[in-house]
Amino acid sequence: MSVARNIFAEVPENSRATEEAAQFVETVTYADLPEEALRIGTRCLLDGLGLYVAGADHEMVEILKAEALDNAGRPDALLLDLAARVPAPMAARVLGTSGHAHDWDDSQVSTDPAHIYGLLTHPTIPPLTASLIMAQKIGNVDGRAFMLAFLTGFEVECKISEWMLPQHYMSGMHSSGTVGTFGAYAAAAKMLGLKGDQLRWGFGIAASLAAGIRCNFGTMTKPLHVGRACENGITAALLAQRGYTADPNALDGPWGFFAVQGGGVSEGKLGQGFGRTWTIVEPGVSIKPYPCGVLTHPTIDLMLRLVTDANIAPDDIEGVTVHAGTNILKPIRYPIAANHLQAKFSLPAALAMIALARKAGKREFSDEFVQSDAMQAMQRRIRTELDPEIEAQGFNVMRSRITVKLKGDGEVAGWADERYRGGPENPLSDADLEAKVRSCCEGLLDQAGQDRLIETAWKVQELPDSGVLAQLLRSAP
């Protein structure tokens, strides 16, 4: 009984989050979208399209495509880069996994010191995937309706993630798999025009389907969390449309999602509501320059600055020590990366890439590069160390420092910039974003295909049929 009372105490009895979420999805209009939300959302769309292409030939995605083809049914939507069409949930599983395959998709930002910066959700891929798949299934969904559905799902996902206590992530749940389900559901429900009880039932279905645990970080299953969030969100919307019932208040109450998975909610935040301030604008979103966990990014930039400014060659390095807090060292958990998936959660791997190549991109995050003798040897010169002073400063930003000991005599050291590259305070320029998209597409789309993808994404609001976006992911138009 004491456990039940503690859970209930974390979710106010008067919580109406499910009802308010449903009302928001049902009533929000294109005219309600702030211009800045549309601008940033278009950037997230372009980034996401590039990421779908980047993951299309990954082994994990090829396995999922083969599984989908073996079980194909109703031809709702394209199967990523193939000409084949499969049922919407199945197409979403593959597309969503591809978008997260390289861990290069954007990160939600929170300025609340109660949260651990960087440990919320990857907000774009679930609602973008649902919007892209449902636009094909429904047909003739114009660009404005597409962006409305995408940004509706984005807002619902981020607010739920922000309102939950950090216990959700720290207890081992992967927010992009759990909360991402609600983002995909809200986007799909908006496109389907769900209303009233159907909308609230869909939230209940999504709440029971939401899943993903952090033990699978560094494996193929981590990106599958996002693919399943996309699949399950669409499934929840389609079932609700048919009249499938669920608890109409599934976010709230002692046995609702907030209590059971979230460890409760911040009562003071529930009054923020949905769409009064748009999370994509304030506090914003980080578009990643590197295909790895965002918690590594400030440290990667610092390492790049140190070796570049001092012109340090790989053979000059005797050892590197990374000083950080548990907010970084626990999630970024591999001391030596044996493959490219582990490297995405390894500071020694990421910094070894910089030491050897002064780059940490798609080529460096490959098994061929990570498993090379040079990379394996360099990783063993790099160690992490818990810094009590950094730990004591809290987790509202990503703090770290590096000491590089040089062979012979001497060292260089520095602190990571808290205004990290890609974050809302230091965003990638549009030109840098386009360059990232081209690097995602390298070897998969030719120059003309890359041009079409970029040009079409920028003018998404003018499209008479947003379903054409899915065709841009293929080598042939």
Side-chain angles (χ1 to χ4, degrees), residues 426-451:
N426 187 17
L428 300 182
S429 67
D430 287 350
D432 287 340
L433 176 57
E434 289 187 8
K436 174 186 173 179
V437 171
R438 291 188 186 279
S439 71
C440 287
C441 298
E442 186 177 354
L444 297 167
L445 284 184
D446 60 20
Q447 181 73 35
Q450 294 174 27
D451 292 344

Side-chain angles (χ1 to χ4, degrees), residues 67-80:
E67 176 69 13
L69 289 172
D70 282 350
N71 292 278
R74 189 180 57 230
D76 289 335
L78 287 169
L79 183 58
L80 191 55

Side-chain angles (χ1 to χ4, degrees), residues 40 43-44 47 51 103-110 117-118 121-124 154 158 279-280 283-290 292 294-295 297-298 398 418-428 433 436:
I40 299 172
R43 284 167 50 89
C44 293
D47 188 46
L51 294 168
D103 216 297
W104 216 346
D105 45 327
D106 54 20
S107 297
Q108 180 186 356
V109 170
S110 174
Y117 196 102
T121 185
H122 294 274
T124 283
F154 192 110
C158 286
T279 300
I280 197 170
V285 62
S286 298
I287 293 181
K288 289 183 174 184
Y290 303 114
C292 52
V294 71
L295 292 169
H297 288 201
M398 299 179 286
E418 294 176 5
R419 295 178 67 257
Y420 64 99
R421 192 161 58 98
E425 296 179 332
N426 187 17
L428 300 182
L433 176 57
K436 174 186 173 179

Side-chain angles (χ1 to χ4, degrees), residues 10 51 105 157 168 191 217 233 293 307 378 418 429 449 452:
E10 297 288 1
L51 294 168
D105 45 327
E157 178 182 348
H168 176 75
M191 277 207 175
F217 281 25
V307 299
M378 183 60 73
E418 294 176 5
S429 67
R452 279 192 299 270

Side-chain angles (χ1 to χ4, degrees), residues 102-430:
H102 290 282
D103 216 297
W104 216 346
D105 45 327
D106 54 20
S107 297
Q108 180 186 356
V109 170
S110 174
T111 56
D112 181 356
H115 274 298
I116 298 176
Y117 196 102
L119 297 185
L120 285 165
T121 185
H122 294 274
T124 283
I125 294 300
L128 181 60
T129 301
S131 300
L132 193 58
I133 296 299
M134 295 307 294
Q136 296 174 77
K137 176 176 172 56
I138 296 169
N140 297 314
V141 176
D142 67 33
R144 290 189 172 196
F146 179 92
M147 288 301 290
L148 174 60
F150 167 45
L151 291 176
T152 297
F154 192 110
E155 172 69 357
V156 168
E157 178 182 348
C158 286
K159 283 298 196 294
I160 292 173
S161 179
E162 171 73 18
W163 296 347
M164 287 195 307
L165 300 179
Q167 178 182 335
H168 176 75
Y169 197 97
M170 297 309 294
S171 66
M173 304 305 297
H174 180 205
S175 305
S176 300
T178 55
V179 183
T181 306
F182 296 109
Y185 165 68
K190 187 63 178 175
M191 277 207 175
L192 287 171
L194 299 189
K195 301 181 184 299
D197 286 343
Q198 286 183 330
L199 256 175
R200 294 175 70 174
W201 293 336
F203 274 103
I205 299 167
S208 277
L209 296 179
I213 54 176
R214 286 169 55 199
C215 72
N216 279 310
F217 281 25
T219 75
M220 292 182 182
T221 299
K222 199 256 189 182
L224 181 60
H225 293 168
V226 176
R228 287 286 284 171
C230 301
E231 175 183 9
N232 289 336
I234 287 177
T235 296
L238 294 175
L239 289 176
Q241 185 185 41
R242 291 180 181 270
Y244 209 93
T245 65
D247 190 313
N249 299 293
L251 295 175
D252 313 292
W255 310 118
F257 181 82
F258 284 147
V260 175
Q261 283 211 35
V265 289
S266 173
E267 184 173 357
K269 291 181 180 178
L270 288 175
Q272 292 176 354
F274 298 92
R276 296 172 192 162
T277 60
W278 290 75
T279 300
I280 197 170
V281 176
E282 180 59 42
V285 62
S286 298
I287 293 181
K288 289 183 174 184
Y290 303 114
C292 52
V294 71
L295 292 169
T296 67
H297 288 201
T299 315
I300 295 173
D301 280 339
L302 170 59
M303 184 69 175
L304 181 61
R305 174 163 57 85
L306 292 176
V307 299
T308 301
D309 289 352
N311 196 25
I312 299 172
D315 288 342
D316 297 333
I317 297 173
E318 181 173 313
V320 178
T321 304
V322 183
H323 311 264
T326 55
N327 61 316
I328 293 176
L329 298 182
K330 283 189 175 181
I332 309 301
R333 62 194 180 101
Y334 289 96
I336 302 292
N339 56 54
H340 74 284
L341 292 170
Q342 292 181 3
K344 295 178 183 302
F345 302 94
S346 169
L347 279 167
L351 301 193
M353 293 173 191
I354 296 297
L356 294 169
R358 298 193 180 179
K359 292 188 295 183
K362 185 179 176 183
R363 186 184 76 86
E364 289 71 39
F365 280 94
S366 65
D367 280 349
E368 180 182 9
F369 193 89
V370 172
Q371 294 171 352
S372 68
D373 291 343
M375 262 292 289
Q376 291 297 307
M378 183 60 73
Q379 286 188 80
R380 285 165 171 78
R381 298 187 220 169
I382 302 171
R383 67 184 182 91
T384 61
E385 184 175 298
L386 176 65
D387 189 312
E389 293 184 9
I390 292 177
E391 184 82 0
Q393 293 181 60
F395 305 144
N396 59 313
V397 296
M398 299 179 286
R399 298 181 178 91
S400 65
R401 60 187 178 91
I402 292 176
T403 302
V404 180
K405 182 172 176 53
L406 303 175
K407 290 180 179 177
D409 188 22
E411 65 180 34
V412 295
W415 282 83
D417 189 347
E418 294 176 5
R419 295 178 67 257
Y420 64 99
R421 192 161 58 98
E425 296 179 332
N426 187 17
L428 300 182
S429 67
D430 287 350

Side-chain angles (χ1 to χ4, degrees), residues 45-86:
L45 161 70
L46 175 57
D47 188 46
L49 292 176
L51 294 168
Y52 292 137
V53 177
D57 67 340
H58 196 290
E59 180 186 5
M60 71 177 76
V61 178
E62 295 288 4
I63 292 172
L64 293 179
K65 285 192 284 189
E67 176 69 13
L69 289 172
D70 282 350
N71 292 278
R74 189 180 57 230
D76 289 335
L78 287 169
L79 183 58
L80 191 55
D81 58 334
L82 304 180
R85 298 177 73 91
V86 297

